[in-house]
Amino acid sequence: MILYPNAKLNLGLNIVERRSDGYHNLETVFYPIPLYDTLQVELQDADVPYTFQMNGNALDCNPEDNLIIKALKLLKSQGYPIPSTRIILDKQIPSGAGMGGGSADAAFMLKALNELYQLGITNSTLEEYAARLGADCAIFIQNKPVYAEGIGNIFSPIALTLKGYFLVIIKPDIFISTGKAFSQIKPKHPEKNLKDIIKMPIGTWRETMINDFEESVFPQFPRLAELKQQLYDNGAIYAAMSGSGSSLFGIFSEPVDLQPLFSDCFYKGVML
């Protein structure tokens, strides 16, 4: 079985309050985008619980720490019969980008095991399991635009499509610690709810939609602020950082080729 875990963008991100458990309540719009990893999952005849191979943008970490393996172990811990499984992951979504690549891989792994071994797990239960693996994981179970609250795990359906727009994604070689980014946030309730903002024309988003992380991250990494401004200078209708970064995106009304401008960054241009 071959699946294609996709990335996501945060269209706006407001950190509204700190929770007693140390997490933060937020509100954001998760929007799936056509930037993919490739995940191959299949039954194998072996005396080990699994084998795991990673290609592409390989992560420098112990396989046991990979969310894909944690997803498999989570289902086994719940009593589901999962035989020896061969797993091959080809990483193309940049890591540490705020685009949910690892979260998508984990969620698609849950879906792959459920289908491959006919476990009969409902989507709602898959979402519960995914949320245990990470705050962003659950959105990739149904994998459609949603308004999210809580720690990013309480979803409300929204009628939003960016079909026909052109998306540019850039990621410089900058690492941002998510924990540190959260620690420097000053939670506050936004003046206008994202549910209302996304109903407005995209041309108004620049003045109304914000990512709270930009306020704390941009002073530390001025290059990110420069890249965002370059997207606007070259015609973006709306540009922002996704999640806690370090990727940025620009939404354009027509296709553009800005790769020469961002030659020192990961670059992807795609029609939505």
Side-chain angles (χ1 to χ4, degrees), residues 26-55:
L26 56 83
E27 57 179 38
T28 188
V29 171
F30 288 121
Y31 196 91
I33 58 172
L35 174 59
Y36 303 99
D37 289 339
T38 302
L39 176 63
Q40 182 175 344
V41 184
E42 59 190 27
L43 175 68
Q44 66 180 359
D45 183 12
D47 294 328
V48 294
Y50 65 87
T51 57
F52 180 40
Q53 175 184 335
M54 183 181 292
N55 306 316

Short mmCIF file of all heavy atoms in Angstrom, two decimals, residues 26-55:
data_model
loop_
_atom_site.label_atom_id
_atom_site.label_comp_id
_atom_site.label_asym_id
_atom_site.label_seq_id
_atom_site.Cartn_x
_atom_site.Cartn_y
_atom_site.Cartn_z
N LEU A 26 -5.38 27.69 21.24
CA LEU A 26 -5.16 28.50 20.05
C LEU A 26 -6.38 28.46 19.15
O LEU A 26 -7.32 27.70 19.38
CB LEU A 26 -3.92 28.00 19.30
CG LEU A 26 -3.89 26.52 18.87
CD1 LEU A 26 -4.63 26.29 17.55
CD2 LEU A 26 -2.46 26.03 18.74
N GLU A 27 -6.35 29.27 18.14
CA GLU A 27 -7.32 29.15 17.06
C GLU A 27 -6.57 29.36 15.74
O GLU A 27 -5.71 30.22 15.63
CB GLU A 27 -8.48 30.13 17.20
CG GLU A 27 -8.09 31.59 17.26
CD GLU A 27 -9.31 32.50 17.38
OE1 GLU A 27 -10.26 32.12 18.09
OE2 GLU A 27 -9.29 33.58 16.78
N THR A 28 -6.88 28.52 14.80
CA THR A 28 -6.20 28.58 13.51
C THR A 28 -7.08 27.94 12.46
O THR A 28 -8.10 27.29 12.77
CB THR A 28 -4.84 27.86 13.57
OG1 THR A 28 -4.11 28.10 12.36
CG2 THR A 28 -5.01 26.37 13.77
N VAL A 29 -6.72 28.12 11.20
CA VAL A 29 -7.35 27.40 10.10
C VAL A 29 -6.28 26.51 9.47
O VAL A 29 -5.25 27.01 9.01
CB VAL A 29 -7.94 28.36 9.05
CG1 VAL A 29 -8.38 27.59 7.80
CG2 VAL A 29 -9.12 29.12 9.63
N PHE A 30 -6.51 25.21 9.51
CA PHE A 30 -5.62 24.26 8.86
C PHE A 30 -6.08 24.08 7.41
O PHE A 30 -7.26 23.80 7.17
CB PHE A 30 -5.65 22.91 9.56
CG PHE A 30 -4.98 22.89 10.91
CD1 PHE A 30 -5.69 22.55 12.04
CD2 PHE A 30 -3.63 23.20 11.04
CE1 PHE A 30 -5.07 22.50 13.29
CE2 PHE A 30 -3.01 23.16 12.28
CZ PHE A 30 -3.73 22.82 13.41
N TYR A 31 -5.13 24.22 6.49
CA TYR A 31 -5.49 24.06 5.07
C TYR A 31 -4.51 23.08 4.42
O TYR A 31 -3.32 23.37 4.31
CB TYR A 31 -5.44 25.40 4.34
CG TYR A 31 -6.15 25.38 3.01
CD1 TYR A 31 -7.49 25.71 2.92
CD2 TYR A 31 -5.49 24.99 1.85
CE1 TYR A 31 -8.16 25.67 1.70
CE2 TYR A 31 -6.14 24.93 0.63
CZ TYR A 31 -7.48 25.27 0.56
OH TYR A 31 -8.14 25.22 -0.65
N PRO A 32 -4.99 21.90 4.00
CA PRO A 32 -4.10 20.92 3.34
C PRO A 32 -3.60 21.45 2.01
O PRO A 32 -4.33 22.14 1.28
CB PRO A 32 -5.02 19.71 3.14
CG PRO A 32 -6.17 19.91 4.07
CD PRO A 32 -6.35 21.38 4.16
N ILE A 33 -2.35 21.12 1.68
CA ILE A 33 -1.75 21.59 0.43
C ILE A 33 -1.07 20.43 -0.30
O ILE A 33 -0.68 19.44 0.32
CB ILE A 33 -0.73 22.73 0.67
CG1 ILE A 33 0.39 22.27 1.61
CG2 ILE A 33 -1.44 23.96 1.19
CD1 ILE A 33 1.52 23.26 1.74
N PRO A 34 -0.90 20.55 -1.63
CA PRO A 34 -0.32 19.46 -2.42
C PRO A 34 1.21 19.45 -2.40
O PRO A 34 1.88 19.73 -3.41
CB PRO A 34 -0.87 19.73 -3.83
CG PRO A 34 -1.07 21.21 -3.86
CD PRO A 34 -1.49 21.61 -2.48
N LEU A 35 1.76 19.16 -1.25
CA LEU A 35 3.19 18.93 -1.08
C LEU A 35 3.29 17.62 -0.29
O LEU A 35 2.75 17.55 0.82
CB LEU A 35 3.84 20.09 -0.33
CG LEU A 35 5.31 19.94 0.05
CD1 LEU A 35 6.18 19.73 -1.18
CD2 LEU A 35 5.78 21.16 0.84
N TYR A 36 3.95 16.60 -0.86
CA TYR A 36 3.75 15.25 -0.36
C TYR A 36 5.04 14.53 0.04
O TYR A 36 6.09 14.70 -0.58
CB TYR A 36 3.08 14.38 -1.44
CG TYR A 36 1.77 14.91 -1.95
CD1 TYR A 36 1.71 15.62 -3.14
CD2 TYR A 36 0.59 14.69 -1.26
CE1 TYR A 36 0.51 16.11 -3.62
CE2 TYR A 36 -0.62 15.17 -1.73
CZ TYR A 36 -0.66 15.88 -2.92
OH TYR A 36 -1.84 16.36 -3.40
N ASP A 37 4.91 13.68 1.07
CA ASP A 37 5.83 12.58 1.31
C ASP A 37 5.23 11.34 0.65
O ASP A 37 4.06 11.36 0.20
CB ASP A 37 5.99 12.30 2.81
CG ASP A 37 6.78 13.38 3.53
OD1 ASP A 37 7.54 14.12 2.86
OD2 ASP A 37 6.65 13.50 4.77
N THR A 38 6.00 10.27 0.59
CA THR A 38 5.48 8.99 0.09
C THR A 38 5.69 7.94 1.18
O THR A 38 6.80 7.76 1.67
CB THR A 38 6.21 8.55 -1.19
OG1 THR A 38 6.05 9.56 -2.19
CG2 THR A 38 5.62 7.24 -1.72
N LEU A 39 4.61 7.27 1.54
CA LEU A 39 4.63 6.27 2.60
C LEU A 39 4.20 4.92 2.04
O LEU A 39 3.08 4.79 1.54
CB LEU A 39 3.71 6.68 3.75
CG LEU A 39 3.55 5.69 4.91
CD1 LEU A 39 4.88 5.48 5.63
CD2 LEU A 39 2.48 6.19 5.89
N GLN A 40 5.09 3.93 2.13
CA GLN A 40 4.78 2.57 1.68
C GLN A 40 4.68 1.67 2.91
O GLN A 40 5.59 1.61 3.73
CB GLN A 40 5.86 2.07 0.73
CG GLN A 40 5.60 0.68 0.18
CD GLN A 40 6.64 0.25 -0.85
OE1 GLN A 40 7.39 1.08 -1.37
NE2 GLN A 40 6.70 -1.02 -1.14
N VAL A 41 3.55 0.96 3.02
CA VAL A 41 3.29 0.10 4.17
C VAL A 41 2.79 -1.25 3.64
O VAL A 41 1.83 -1.29 2.86
CB VAL A 41 2.23 0.71 5.12
CG1 VAL A 41 2.04 -0.16 6.35
CG2 VAL A 41 2.62 2.13 5.52
N GLU A 42 3.45 -2.34 4.06
CA GLU A 42 3.03 -3.64 3.55
C GLU A 42 3.38 -4.75 4.54
O GLU A 42 4.29 -4.62 5.37
CB GLU A 42 3.69 -3.92 2.20
CG GLU A 42 5.20 -3.90 2.24
CD GLU A 42 5.80 -3.95 0.84
OE1 GLU A 42 5.16 -3.51 -0.13
OE2 GLU A 42 6.95 -4.42 0.73
N LEU A 43 2.62 -5.82 4.45
CA LEU A 43 2.87 -7.01 5.25
C LEU A 43 4.18 -7.66 4.81
O LEU A 43 4.49 -7.67 3.61
CB LEU A 43 1.72 -8.00 5.07
CG LEU A 43 1.85 -9.37 5.73
CD1 LEU A 43 1.79 -9.25 7.25
CD2 LEU A 43 0.75 -10.30 5.22
N GLN A 44 4.97 -8.15 5.78
CA GLN A 44 6.19 -8.85 5.43
C GLN A 44 6.30 -10.14 6.26
O GLN A 44 5.72 -10.25 7.35
CB GLN A 44 7.42 -7.99 5.65
CG GLN A 44 7.69 -7.63 7.10
CD GLN A 44 8.94 -6.77 7.27
OE1 GLN A 44 9.62 -6.43 6.31
NE2 GLN A 44 9.23 -6.40 8.51
N ASP A 45 7.04 -11.09 5.72
CA ASP A 45 7.28 -12.36 6.42
C ASP A 45 8.60 -12.23 7.17
O ASP A 45 9.68 -12.46 6.61
CB ASP A 45 7.34 -13.50 5.40
CG ASP A 45 7.50 -14.86 6.08
OD1 ASP A 45 7.34 -14.92 7.32
OD2 ASP A 45 7.81 -15.83 5.37
N ALA A 46 8.53 -11.80 8.42
CA ALA A 46 9.74 -11.58 9.21
C ALA A 46 9.43 -11.83 10.68
O ALA A 46 8.27 -11.81 11.10
CB ALA A 46 10.27 -10.17 8.98
N ASP A 47 10.49 -12.03 11.44
CA ASP A 47 10.34 -12.29 12.87
C ASP A 47 10.51 -11.04 13.72
O ASP A 47 10.81 -11.13 14.91
CB ASP A 47 11.35 -13.36 13.32
CG ASP A 47 11.08 -14.71 12.68
OD1 ASP A 47 9.89 -15.01 12.44
OD2 ASP A 47 12.05 -15.45 12.42
N VAL A 48 10.34 -9.89 13.10
CA VAL A 48 10.45 -8.61 13.82
C VAL A 48 9.12 -7.88 13.68
O VAL A 48 8.38 -8.09 12.71
CB VAL A 48 11.60 -7.75 13.26
CG1 VAL A 48 12.94 -8.42 13.55
CG2 VAL A 48 11.43 -7.50 11.76
N PRO A 49 8.77 -7.00 14.64
CA PRO A 49 7.49 -6.29 14.55
C PRO A 49 7.39 -5.40 13.31
O PRO A 49 6.32 -5.25 12.74
CB PRO A 49 7.48 -5.44 15.84
CG PRO A 49 8.42 -6.13 16.77
CD PRO A 49 9.48 -6.73 15.91
N TYR A 50 8.53 -4.84 12.88
CA TYR A 50 8.53 -3.96 11.71
C TYR A 50 9.95 -3.76 11.22
O TYR A 50 10.93 -3.99 11.96
CB TYR A 50 7.91 -2.60 12.05
CG TYR A 50 8.71 -1.81 13.07
CD1 TYR A 50 9.77 -0.98 12.66
CD2 TYR A 50 8.44 -1.90 14.43
CE1 TYR A 50 10.52 -0.28 13.59
CE2 TYR A 50 9.19 -1.20 15.36
CZ TYR A 50 10.22 -0.40 14.93
OH TYR A 50 10.97 0.29 15.85
N THR A 51 10.07 -3.32 9.96
CA THR A 51 11.32 -2.77 9.45
C THR A 51 10.99 -1.38 8.91
O THR A 51 9.89 -1.15 8.39
CB THR A 51 11.93 -3.64 8.34
OG1 THR A 51 10.97 -3.79 7.28
CG2 THR A 51 12.32 -5.00 8.88
N PHE A 52 11.93 -0.47 9.05
CA PHE A 52 11.66 0.93 8.71
C PHE A 52 12.84 1.50 7.93
O PHE A 52 13.98 1.45 8.38
CB PHE A 52 11.44 1.73 9.99
CG PHE A 52 11.15 3.20 9.76
CD1 PHE A 52 10.33 3.61 8.73
CD2 PHE A 52 11.69 4.17 10.60
CE1 PHE A 52 10.04 4.96 8.53
CE2 PHE A 52 11.41 5.52 10.41
CZ PHE A 52 10.59 5.90 9.38
N GLN A 53 12.54 2.03 6.74
CA GLN A 53 13.56 2.65 5.89
C GLN A 53 13.10 4.06 5.54
O GLN A 53 11.94 4.27 5.14
CB GLN A 53 13.75 1.82 4.62
CG GLN A 53 14.71 2.42 3.60
CD GLN A 53 14.78 1.58 2.34
OE1 GLN A 53 14.53 0.38 2.34
NE2 GLN A 53 15.13 2.23 1.23
N MET A 54 14.00 5.03 5.66
CA MET A 54 13.66 6.41 5.32
C MET A 54 14.61 6.92 4.24
O MET A 54 15.83 6.78 4.34
CB MET A 54 13.74 7.32 6.55
CG MET A 54 13.32 8.76 6.24
SD MET A 54 13.44 9.86 7.67
CE MET A 54 12.14 9.21 8.69
N ASN A 55 14.03 7.52 3.20
CA ASN A 55 14.79 8.11 2.11
C ASN A 55 14.47 9.59 2.00
O ASN A 55 13.60 10.11 2.69
CB ASN A 55 14.45 7.40 0.79
CG ASN A 55 14.62 5.90 0.87
OD1 ASN A 55 15.61 5.41 1.41
ND2 ASN A 55 13.66 5.15 0.34
#
